[in-house]
Amino acid sequence: MPTALVTGVTGQDGSYLAEFLLEQGYRVIGMVRRTSTINFSRLEHIQDHIEIAQGDLLDQMSLTAILNEYKPDEVYNLAAQSFVPTSFTQPVLTGEFTALGVTRMLEAIRLANPRIRFYQASSSEMFGKVMETPQRETTPFYPRSPYGVAKVYGHWITINYRESYNIFGCSGILFNHESPRRGLEFVTHKITHGAVKIKLGLANSLALGNLSARRDWGYAGDYVRAMWLMLQQEVADDYVVATGETHSVEEFVAEAFSYLDLDWQQYVVQDPKFYRPAEVDLLVGDPSKAGRQLNWEPTVGFRELVRMMVDADMEALTSGGHIRR
């Protein structure tokens, strides 16, 4: 039975990845920070089947100790300060977790067992002010937020350890990926949750920022499969994971509201406080390399994704259930 360590296991991607790895027959170790408010809601259905280890990307010793104790074959580093607006208000903390945290984990692997296979969660936000469209593995980076800058560091330090120490390190440059488990602070879940509340008479309006920003949106459940596939290859490499389609925030809003038979223009207002200091206008990925080398392709389309999220919010808000934050 192979063993995998997943940092950020309580997040959207971590929960889907843990679920997927269990299906593949893995022993799954989920790393969590010791805080007073650890939220296991996304893991409730599998919590009895995974092991929880306390560790912190800010604490080098804790990472080395976990590797020595659990002896994982694979490490998936999904933990980060991952909300872009927060990176503008807490840029140093974002750098500590999202950039230097990667170095601490790689250094722990180098010292404990350099044969461990390592996956780094890179991001389409690294492309920022895009230099070419669509964006591929060779597209130059031009990040437009402290989060994007930190992710560029994490991406390159993974390559550096791969080339310097022969560590099997892969980076998945994942474009936006959503699900019913997405945090409510992210615009996609904010939209579907807000639309359902309006439909149920629990709200009268929904305030959003830039409606013209365009993103390549896929389903998180599809994207964790790509993470795993990267670590099953003979040679470590980096891959863009995307749908190859781009849609505006306005299109996402229109799809969610129309699915509920609502006219979004009657309810949605734009609020300048939700605009970023430096906007990323257009992201669309070219996943052809992942298709060729990993035999990966997305299974959930844009409309299906939006409706999946709307349905989940409707069920949660009408059945007394809870939204997985």
Side-chain angles (χ1 to χ4, degrees):
M1 179 186 292
T3 298
L5 173 67
V6 180
T7 74
V9 72
T10 60
Q12 170 190 254
D13 292 8
S15 66
Y16 278 109
L17 179 61
E19 196 174 75
F20 177 83
L21 291 172
L22 288 173
E23 292 170 357
Q24 307 308 309
Y26 278 70
R27 177 195 184 199
V28 177
I29 314 300
M31 192 183 92
V32 299
R33 298 177 63 213
R34 180 67 183 95
T35 70
S36 59
T37 56
I38 301 174
N39 188 342
F40 290 107
S41 63
R42 295 184 179 94
L43 299 172
E44 286 175 345
H45 60 303
I46 58 171
Q47 194 168 343
D48 291 341
H49 303 286
I50 66 175
E51 299 172 57
I52 299 297
Q54 290 184 6
D56 196 322
L57 288 180
L58 302 185
D59 182 5
Q60 179 80 53
M61 294 296 292
S62 70
L63 303 180
T64 304
I66 287 175
L67 297 183
N68 285 328
E69 179 178 355
Y70 294 97
K71 296 178 170 51
D73 303 286
E74 300 171 357
V75 171
Y76 296 85
N77 185 42
L78 310 186
Q81 190 304 99
S82 59
F83 190 46
V84 173
T86 296
S87 78
F88 283 102
T89 58
Q90 299 184 45
V92 175
L93 183 67
T94 299
E96 286 285 352
F97 278 112
T98 309
L100 291 178
V102 186
T103 310
R104 295 187 186 99
M105 180 60 82
L106 284 165
E107 187 65 6
I109 289 172
R110 185 181 74 83
L111 296 173
N113 178 9
R115 293 182 300 279
I116 292 172
R117 296 194 165 203
F118 175 75
Y119 172 82
Q120 166 59 16
S122 289
S123 169
S124 59
E125 288 286 333
M126 300 188 306
F127 295 121
K129 189 174 181 179
V130 298
M131 299 289 98
E132 64 177 352
T133 299
Q135 294 87 55
R136 49 184 63 88
E137 291 81 5
T138 56
T139 301
F141 299 135
Y142 195 142
R144 298 269 283 171
S145 67
Y147 170 77
V149 172
K151 280 294 186 182
V152 170
Y153 176 97
H155 181 85
W156 278 110
I157 199 66
T158 301
I159 293 173
N160 184 261
Y161 270 69
R162 183 168 72 209
E163 295 178 349
S164 300
Y165 303 114
N166 201 32
I167 286 174
F168 193 104
C170 297
S171 286
I173 307 174
L174 271 56
F175 280 65
N176 293 65
H177 44 288
E178 317 298 324
S179 76
R181 300 179 195 175
R182 190 57 140 157
L184 279 172
E185 70 272 21
F186 290 88
V187 68
T188 48
H189 201 177
K190 182 179 178 181
I191 290 167
T192 60
H193 187 249
V196 169
K197 288 183 68 176
I198 290 170
K199 181 68 175 180
L200 295 175
L202 302 175
N204 298 315
S205 64
L206 175 61
L208 299 171
N210 182 10
L211 298 181
S212 62
R214 303 185 67 85
R215 294 292 184 270
D216 184 326
W217 277 300
Y219 171 53
D222 284 337
Y223 285 35
V224 299
R225 179 165 42 89
M227 299 176 188
W228 176 76
L229 286 168
M230 291 178 207
L231 296 196
Q232 312 315 308
Q233 305 306 302
E234 291 186 7
V235 178
D237 206 348
D238 307 319
Y239 300 87
V240 162
V241 181
T243 69
E245 297 180 7
T246 186
H247 298 274
S248 67
V249 175
E250 183 176 312
E251 287 177 76
F252 200 106
V253 170
E255 181 61 39
F257 276 75
S258 66
Y259 184 46
L260 294 168
D261 295 319
L262 296 172
D263 178 2
W264 69 269
Q265 293 178 313
Q266 295 182 18
Y267 303 100
V268 174
V269 295
Q270 288 186 273
D271 189 331
K273 77 177 182 182
F274 294 117
Y275 280 74
R276 299 182 184 181
E279 186 58 77
V280 174
D281 298 314
L282 169 65
L283 292 174
V284 55
D286 176 4
S288 57
K289 180 179 175 182
R292 289 192 313 271
Q293 297 187 20
L294 305 179
N295 196 30
W296 178 88
E297 61 182 19
T299 65
V300 177
F302 176 74
R303 174 175 289 184
E304 184 182 355
L305 174 64
V306 177
R307 294 184 174 194
M308 175 197 303
M309 295 176 68
V310 170
D311 286 341
D313 283 335
M314 180 62 75
E315 181 180 358
L317 288 170
T318 57
S319 67
H322 62 270
I323 301 294
R324 288 174 174 167
R325 296 175 186 270

